[in-house]
């Protein structure tokens, strides 16, 4: 059967040389990019498109239990209350806010990364000029995160945020949707925020890790702003300046996370030493008439004073609704939430962030902590002061001034001599050996006291809390 009748011959072979040259150039380019770029299997840490997948029916738990290993199932079950992912339009709006502040790239931390929605939605121009560290507590989500983004250069840590050793005052930006609830994290350190609720803990820890002038942009429970007691807000305000806040209405996360929780997006900039503490958002006020829902007739609904002064940053109208425990003020919105959020982002201040030039990051060397070392205690390693974080020792030598380093070094020497003496006594060693160890301990103690005073003096205590709120000056001999 003939479909086409061609009356003219096409001389392919006449142009064979041209086609061969094009093929050769294409092949050489492919080899060049293979050598220089390597195989990435279409997974690149340069932003991209996210797909939201939601289940319309409850999962088959028995099948899930049979599929996952025991440790993975236990990890997934332990994190189920906080495995609430974020709508992509909210993530994209937060990145727009970050760019509006003036962030053009740098060291980025996502402390509750899930499977990497924030990293995947990062604008390409930021991703190409940034290095990212992602922390995720759930083993299954963490492995998915690692498979997706570790090949592109993301430093993925599968561990609880509170137990992950990270350098303080290092990151330029911390961003994400933090877990929230009325429970506390398992942080046994002496940090001032260690007893905060989990969502507020993430603010405290992130502010330790972000450099002065850096940004912390988190989605959090509205209780951070609206809690009756302002101790948490006072602590955060002492560390950071509130650039802006946006109250998201009830139901923002209903589609992807099946939760009606009310949340805020807080945008913070860590204070420089000379900056004054701002107190406008520490106290509570009352909902202004412009924010009150038409069906709400209560005139004294409590809300953070910042929203009372800036009602344009609250999406929706406020009325009382039950949260399952009590009736609380809730923002209710009927309309295009994505467009409303974009309008609020455009109201945030521009140019609030100042980038800094970073030196090339040194190779990260993991120094394992000795068995039984107490988290938060100090150790000396190769003449430098380290602090125990989890199962590692983090170099904090450069975070201390010369006097603090000298005090910490002296206290560590006293502790080590005291332990050596106790070990020798328990081993029932001879009097000669015990006498030598006693003399070493006594001499070290007397030299320290003659120069820095008694161990319990305030100056020695302060040497062990360089701006992070540690209260106990000296780790016990069991540490």
């Amino acid at each position: 059967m003939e479909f086409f009748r061609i009356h003219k011959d096409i001389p392919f072979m006449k142009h064979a040389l041209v086609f061969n040259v094009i093929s050769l150039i294409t092949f050489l380019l492919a080899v060049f990019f293979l050598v220089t770029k390597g195989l990435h299997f279409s997974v690149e840490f340069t932003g991209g498109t996210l797909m939201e997948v939601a289940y319309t029916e409850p999962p088959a738990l028995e099948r899930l239990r049979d599929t996952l290993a025991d440790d993975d199932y236990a990890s997934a079950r332990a994190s189920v209350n906080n495995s609430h992912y974020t709508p992509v339009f909210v993530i994209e709006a937060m990145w727009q806010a970050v760019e509006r502040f003036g962030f053009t790239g740098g060291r980025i931390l996502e402390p509750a990364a899930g499977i990497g929605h924030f990293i995947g939605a990062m604008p390409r121009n930021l991703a190409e000029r940034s290095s990212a560290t992602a922390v995720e507590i759930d083993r299954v989500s963490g492995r998915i995160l690692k498979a997706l983004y570790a090949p592109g250069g993301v430093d993925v840590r599968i561990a609880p945020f509170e137990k992950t050793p990270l350098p303080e005052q290092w990151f330029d930006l911390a961003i994400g949707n933090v877990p929230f609830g009325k429970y506390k994290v398992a942080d046994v350190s002496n940090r001032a925020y260690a007893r905060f609720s989990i969502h507020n803990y993430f603010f405290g820890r992130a502010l330790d890790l972000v450099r002065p002038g850096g940004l912390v942009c988190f989605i959090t429970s509205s209780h951070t702003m609206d809690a009756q007691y302002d101790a948490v807000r006072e602590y955060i305000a002492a560390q950071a300046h509130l650039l802006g806040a946006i109250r998201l209405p009830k139901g923002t996360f209903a589609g992807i996370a099946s939760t009606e929780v009310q949340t805020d997006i807080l945008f913070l900039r860590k204070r420089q030493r000379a900056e004054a503490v701002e107190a406008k958002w520490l106290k509570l006020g009352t909902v202004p008439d412009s924010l009150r829902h038409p069906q709400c007739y209560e005139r004294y609904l409590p809300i953070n004073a910042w929203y009372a002064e800036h009602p344009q940053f609250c999406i929706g109208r406020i009325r009382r609704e039950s949260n399952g425990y009590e009736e609380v003020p809730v923002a209710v919105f009927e309309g295009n939430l994505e467009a409303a959020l974009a309008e609020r982002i455009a109201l945030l201040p521009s140019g609030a962030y100042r980038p800094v030039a970073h030196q090339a990051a040194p190779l990260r060397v993991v120094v394992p902590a000795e068995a039984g070392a107490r988290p938060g205690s100090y150790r000396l390693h190769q003449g430098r002061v380290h602090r125990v974080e989890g199962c590692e020792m983090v170099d904090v030598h450069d975070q201390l001034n010369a006097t603090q380093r000298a005090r910490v070094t002296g206290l560590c020497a006293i502790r080590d001599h005291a332990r050596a003496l106790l070990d020798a006594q328990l081993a029932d060693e001879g009097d000669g050996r015990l006498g030598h160890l006693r003399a070493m301990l006594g001499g070290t103690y007397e030299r320290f006291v003659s120069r820095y005073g008694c161990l319990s003096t305030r100056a020695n205590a302060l040497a062990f809390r360089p701006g992070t709120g540690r209260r106990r000056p000296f780790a016990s001999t069991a540490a």
Side-chain angles (χ1 to χ4, degrees):
M1 181 180 294
E2 185 179 48
F3 292 98
F4 303 99
R5 183 181 297 275
I6 300 176
H7 300 283
K8 183 179 179 181
D9 295 334
I10 301 177
F12 287 104
M13 298 305 297
K14 180 180 178 180
H15 304 290
L17 179 61
V18 176
F19 294 135
N20 288 337
V21 170
I22 294 174
S23 299
L24 178 61
I25 293 173
T26 303
F27 174 76
L28 292 176
L29 285 173
V31 172
F32 171 77
F33 285 115
L34 179 64
V35 172
T36 58
K37 299 292 186 179
L39 290 173
H40 295 280
F41 304 103
S42 300
V43 178
E44 290 280 0
F45 168 49
T46 54
T49 301
L50 292 179
M51 297 179 63
E52 295 182 359
V53 180
Y55 290 100
T56 58
E57 299 179 357
L61 294 180
E62 290 300 324
R63 181 180 177 187
L64 182 65
R65 179 67 183 87
D66 294 337
T67 303
L68 295 178
D70 291 341
D71 291 343
D72 293 340
Y73 183 79
S75 175
R77 186 172 182 178
S79 63
V80 68
N81 289 332
N82 284 312
S83 297
H84 295 157
Y85 297 101
T86 314
V88 175
F89 76 88
V90 176
I91 300 174
E92 290 174 343
M94 292 179 66
W95 283 117
Q96 291 168 11
V98 166
E99 290 185 295
R100 181 175 178 81
F101 293 141
F103 184 84
T104 56
R107 299 164 179 166
I108 299 173
L109 169 67
E110 188 182 358
I115 60 173
H117 281 183
F118 275 85
I119 294 174
M122 187 188 306
R124 181 179 293 271
N125 61 309
L126 293 186
E128 291 174 345
R129 293 193 291 269
S130 298
S131 60
T133 299
V135 181
E136 172 54 35
I137 186 173
D138 180 59
R139 291 161 55 96
V140 177
S141 298
R143 290 207 297 272
I144 296 174
L145 173 70
K146 198 166 190 174
L148 288 174
Y149 297 107
V154 178
D155 181 9
V156 176
R157 313 283 187 92
I158 306 176
F161 184 41
E162 66 273 14
K163 296 181 180 179
T164 303
L166 295 167
E168 295 186 354
Q169 300 188 29
W170 172 263
F171 296 96
D172 300 295
L173 167 67
I175 189 170
N177 183 356
V178 302
F180 32 92
K182 293 184 179 181
Y183 59 93
K184 301 172 178 60
V185 302
D187 188 340
V188 297
S189 73
N190 299 316
R191 299 184 179 107
Y193 50 83
R195 300 298 174 263
F196 287 176
S197 296
I198 185 169
H199 46 282
N200 296 325
Y201 176 92
F202 270 67
F203 277 98
R205 182 78 178 121
L207 287 169
D208 275 355
L209 302 177
V210 168
R211 66 168 178 84
L215 300 174
V216 174
C217 306
F218 284 162
I219 300 172
T220 182
S221 165
S222 59
H223 289 289
T224 299
M225 291 288 277
D226 287 354
Q228 182 178 359
Y229 300 105
D230 57 4
V232 170
R233 293 192 293 274
E234 284 184 353
Y235 178 84
I236 296 175
Q239 307 292 324
H241 173 68
L242 180 67
L243 298 176
I246 299 175
R247 173 142 299 177
L248 300 176
K250 169 187 174 182
T252 300
F253 299 87
I256 192 172
S258 299
T259 177
E260 297 287 339
V261 67
Q262 179 178 254
T263 56
D264 290 323
I265 309 176
L266 299 190
F267 301 99
L268 304 170
R269 184 188 64 214
K270 187 170 180 178
R271 289 194 314 110
Q272 303 281 358
R273 289 186 178 181
E275 285 188 280
V277 175
E278 180 198 21
K280 294 182 178 179
W281 61 288
L282 302 186
K283 303 299 181 182
L284 298 184
T286 56
V287 175
D289 293 340
S290 60
L291 270 183
R292 191 180 299 109
H293 195 277
Q295 298 178 0
C296 179
Y297 304 102
E298 186 176 345
R299 299 191 59 83
Y300 299 103
L301 285 172
I303 197 171
N304 188 277
W306 195 88
Y307 285 124
E309 187 176 345
H310 305 87
Q312 66 273 24
F313 284 96
C314 184
I315 301 178
R317 300 291 188 90
I318 307 296
R319 70 185 183 195
R320 279 198 182 272
E321 288 192 6
S322 175
N323 63 0
Y325 302 96
E326 58 182 343
E327 288 196 345
V328 295
V330 173
V332 179
F333 179 73
E334 296 179 1
N336 188 332
L337 180 55
E338 184 173 352
L341 180 56
E343 292 175 2
R344 273 68 178 184
I345 294 294
L347 298 176
L348 292 170
S350 59
Y353 171 83
R354 295 289 181 270
V356 297
H358 293 297
Q359 296 179 351
L363 180 65
R364 180 175 177 265
V365 179
V366 176
V367 181
E370 62 189 67
R374 168 181 261 168
S377 62
Y378 286 101
R379 295 291 187 276
L380 296 179
H381 178 71
Q382 296 182 351
R384 295 180 65 83
V385 179
H386 288 64
R387 189 173 61 243
V388 177
E389 298 283 355
C391 59
E392 300 179 9
M393 293 198 301
V394 178
D395 190 329
V396 296
H397 193 83
D398 296 329
Q399 299 176 21
L400 308 176
N401 60 41
T403 303
Q404 288 174 325
R405 287 197 291 265
R407 291 179 187 273
V408 170
T409 301
L411 288 168
C412 286
I414 294 173
R415 177 196 60 201
D416 294 342
H417 285 311
R419 286 179 178 170
L421 177 58
L422 290 173
D423 290 342
Q425 290 175 331
L426 292 173
D428 205 16
E429 295 191 13
D431 291 341
R433 171 66 174 165
L434 294 177
H436 172 72
L437 292 175
R438 289 191 186 100
M440 292 289 293
L441 174 59
T444 303
Y445 176 80
E446 289 176 0
R447 285 191 298 272
F448 183 89
V449 171
S450 65
R451 186 171 183 180
Y452 299 111
C454 296
L455 302 184
S456 58
T457 60
R458 178 174 173 78
N460 290 328
L462 290 175
F464 273 70
R465 54 169 188 173
T468 56
R470 294 173 181 84
R471 291 187 287 274
R472 285 184 296 201
F474 190 58
S476 69
T477 55

